[in-house]
Amino acid sequence: MRLSRYFLPVLKETPSEAQIVSHRYMLRAGMIKQAQAGIYSWLPLGYKVLRNIENIVHEEQQRAGHIPMLMPTLQSADLWRESGRYDDYGQEMLRITDRHGRDMLYGPTNEELITDIFRSHVGSYKDLPLTLYHIQWKFRDEVRPRFGVMRGREFLMKDGYNFDLTKEDALHAYNRHLVSYLRTYERMGLQAIPMRADSGPIGGEDTHEFLVLAETGESEVFYDSQITELKFGDREIDYDSHEECRAVLEEFTSRYARTDETHDEAVFAQVPEERRRTARGIEVGQIFYFGTKYSEPMGATVVDKDGNRVPVHMGSHGIGVSRLLGAIIEASHDEKGIIWPEGVTPFHCGIVNLKQGDTEADAACDAIYASLTALGLEPLYDDTNERAGGKFATMDLIGLPWRITVGPRGLKNGVVELTSRRTGESEELSPEAAIERIAQIYGKVSKG
Ligand code: ATP
Ligand code: MG
């Protein structure tokens, strides 16, 4: 993309309404614009990152064997009356009446709708196990929407639902989700720690929240510092293996890590003092096993091997897709702006032309742009007439992890500059070598 043709409405001033750094940078980098309290338009740059995050979530869900689909945002109140949650959910639910006087609601979550789909189409244990998920906008009329996309009223969530014959199978689905979530967050450059949590209005026995440690997090968390040393990495895992998934769950949940809702001072005191940590965290996901809480009242049953009708064991599993943008920025920024991890960056690399209009500099930039594009990479080329300082400031603000700087002086010696946004370190290289390096970083094969 050439910046002169893009829509990147960066702000010079720091917006006064934004209290935390991720919100400030998302506004300043032209990623979002508030439409109403807690409701945002996703401008091109923000939309690109949102899509990248969504793609990682899709890939990891499908790797774990979960099946994508799409349910509507508007739901019928009658379904929620069946589960008993229409009255329980309270003021966070946006209730709507259509022209025929029918009660509807903008879905805050989808347990009822998915259970209805299940009971309409599945009747035998032979169709299990089954996990369906979608990535869809939710609405929760939060009392205090704040911090930009972190606590919105309209927000994008991945929510998945498992249906299993037995509790044991459903707990495997729970463990499988835990594993797939660890992979998902790590691919986004995040460490999200599974912590024992409280089940809240969804209800259930087993639940973990995934928290990204950050001073601006809304949850108070208590943990054994050893847990921060764990990494899932690129290990191979058989998602069908109960043992393998359970082993990962045990590895990642055996050390103390809880949110304030389930925190227990007496148990925490058993952690050696030098490893005890109290901090704040951002909830970026949650997994639940809730048994037959919905399947029983809503009649979601299957016929088992002995011919008996039994309610299925279920769980639901959410990832805060739009909140993740805020969480990633909280975890990865400096005083100049955002620092995108390679896994989610909106453009793979920036190209800064120090002297737009200089024949050689323009030609070199065009050639680098063409080579990177041919490799399947997306560079953002600042081909505007802005002075160099302004171009650098914009690149730093929008946080592309790599920048190639091209100017007439360097070109005389056959070099351009390759700069890492994270370390700030620069290196002089031939244009071909710089392209080669970018290709390597993103796992593309350069034929240069
Ligand atoms: P919270 O405690 O932050 O209100 P929750 O526990 O009610 O969240 P869940 O029902 O677990 O939320 O939803 C799954 C995920 O969706 C959460 O882990 C979070 O990342 C995200 N999420 C929930 N509410 C919001 C919101 N208002 N804005 C943005 N993301 C949200
Ligand atoms: Mg939650």
Side-chain angles (χ1 to χ4, degrees):
M1 179 57 66
R2 286 169 188 270
L3 190 56
S4 62
R5 298 181 193 171
Y6 200 45
F7 181 63
L8 185 72
V10 296
L11 307 177
K12 293 253 157 31
E13 306 295 314
T14 296
S16 59
E17 75 270 26
Q19 299 163 34
I20 61 170
V21 70
S22 57
H23 189 194
R24 277 200 292 277
Y25 283 157
M26 287 185 78
L27 292 169
R28 283 196 50 212
M31 297 176 66
I32 51 170
K33 176 168 179 2
Q34 183 174 306
Q36 291 175 54
I39 304 178
Y40 290 87
S41 296
W42 293 80
L43 304 182
L45 193 74
Y47 180 64
K48 242 168 166 304
V49 181
L50 187 69
R51 281 284 168 263
N52 290 345
I53 290 176
E54 231 184 305
N55 285 341
I56 292 176
V57 173
H58 270 301
E59 281 174 24
E60 293 306 326
Q61 284 304 299
Q62 289 170 57
R63 191 195 304 277
H66 307 158
I67 305 168
M69 61 179 293
L70 187 61
M71 290 175 268
T73 52
L74 294 181
Q75 304 182 21
S76 138
D78 285 340
L79 267 183
W80 285 67
R81 292 195 176 102
E82 277 189 57
S83 73
R85 278 208 298 181
Y86 189 64
D87 296 322
D88 291 354
Y89 213 91
Q91 290 201 299
E92 275 190 15
M93 181 185 278
L94 179 64
R95 294 154 207 262
I96 304 162
T97 310
D98 74 7
R99 67 200 294 166
H100 305 293
R102 280 189 279 257
D103 293 330
M104 307 203 295
L105 55 101
Y106 194 125
T109 176
N110 281 53
E111 281 80 6
E112 284 76 2
L113 201 51
I114 195 82
T115 305
D116 180 53
I117 291 169
F118 180 88
R119 72 180 171 190
S120 308
H121 298 288
V122 183
S124 162
Y125 75 92
K126 290 180 192 146
D127 299 319
L128 305 183
L130 180 65
T131 294
L132 300 168
Y133 79 92
H134 72 162
I135 298 180
Q136 178 60 293
W137 295 93
K138 303 289 185 291
F139 196 93
R140 293 183 187 172
D141 206 353
E142 303 272 358
V143 206
R144 274 218 301 160
R146 56 177 187 160
F147 299 163
V149 300
M150 290 269 228
R151 182 160 299 282
R153 293 198 294 165
E154 188 183 53
F155 60 96
L156 192 60
M157 194 205 284
K158 169 260 159 183
D159 42 324
Y161 306 87
N162 68 282
F163 301 90
D164 288 279
L165 183 62
T166 63
K167 178 170 180 179
E168 204 224 310
D169 287 350
L171 289 177
H172 168 60
Y174 183 90
N175 301 346
R176 194 175 64 228
H177 277 88
L178 181 128
V179 178
S180 71
Y181 280 24
L182 291 172
R183 279 192 64 117
T184 303
Y185 299 122
E186 282 189 15
R187 277 187 64 186
M188 297 173 190
L190 280 180
Q191 178 170 48
I193 303 171
M195 300 202 180
R196 228 165 93 180
D198 188 44
S199 56
I202 290 182
E205 302 168 28
D206 283 277
T207 178
H208 281 90
E209 286 177 353
F210 288 77
L211 284 113
V212 173
L213 299 175
E215 279 164 28
T216 49
E218 291 184 288
S219 315
E220 191 174 19
V221 299
F222 303 84
Y223 63 95
D224 176 342
S225 64
Q226 275 192 344
I227 201 158
T228 58
E229 287 152 30
L230 297 176
K231 238 192 155 47
F232 187 76
D234 51 10
R235 29 180 133 163
E236 289 290 322
I237 182 133
D238 175 1
Y239 279 109
D240 289 332
S241 161
H242 287 217
E243 295 70 34
E244 283 186 32
C245 291
R246 191 183 315 118
V248 175
L249 173 109
E250 277 162 14
E251 180 186 346
F252 280 82
T253 61
S254 60
R255 290 169 189 79
Y256 193 92
R258 297 193 190 182
T259 61
D260 51 2
E261 289 157 349
T262 55
H263 177 57
D264 182 332
E265 274 298 337
V267 186
F268 193 44
Q270 289 162 23
V271 176
E273 193 172 356
E274 69 279 8
R275 298 200 329 238
R276 263 180 251 156
R277 298 282 187 282
T278 304
R280 303 199 69 81
I282 302 166
E283 182 194 330
V284 292
Q286 185 161 14
I287 52 177
F288 288 98
Y289 161 72
F290 48 68
T292 58
K293 180 178 154 78
Y294 297 92
S295 55
E296 237 168 52
M298 294 184 66
T301 59
V302 291
V303 174
D304 70 9
K305 284 190 185 76
D306 305 321
N308 302 316
R309 274 214 162 264
V310 292
V312 289
H313 285 258
M314 292 174 60
S316 71
H317 314 278
I319 292 181
V321 174
S322 49
R323 178 179 286 182
L324 272 164
L325 276 93
I328 293 170
I329 297 171
E330 290 297 324
S332 184
H333 68 268
D334 63 13
E335 70 293 344
K336 293 181 192 158
I338 303 165
I339 306 174
W340 291 116
E342 272 95 359
V344 300
T345 185
F347 294 95
H348 296 101
C349 162
I351 303 171
V352 168
N353 188 342
L354 291 177
K355 198 158 185 207
Q356 201 67 41
D358 176 272
T359 317
E360 273 180 50
D362 289 3
C365 287
D366 286 342
I368 293 169
Y369 185 90
S371 301
L372 290 170
T373 307
L375 287 165
L377 295 168
E378 258 191 295
L380 180 67
Y381 170 22
D382 190 342
D383 61 345
T384 64
N385 291 318
E386 168 109 56
R387 61 194 169 77
K391 290 188 176 186
F392 290 145
T394 300
M395 283 292 174
D396 286 344
L397 174 64
I398 68 171
L400 308 185
W402 298 94
R403 185 185 81 209
I404 297 177
T405 308
V406 181
R409 206 176 309 158
L411 288 175
K412 282 213 176 68
N413 303 318
V415 296
V416 297
E417 201 179 58
L418 178 66
T419 309
S420 155
R421 174 69 182 87
R422 190 167 294 280
T423 65
E425 280 164 25
S426 289
E427 221 184 312
E428 292 199 327
L429 297 165
S430 69
E432 296 72 31
I435 291 161
E436 176 80 37
R437 280 281 283 288
I438 300 283
Q440 267 170 14
I441 288 161
Y442 291 103
K444 306 279 178 188
V445 183
S446 161
K447 294 194 203 83

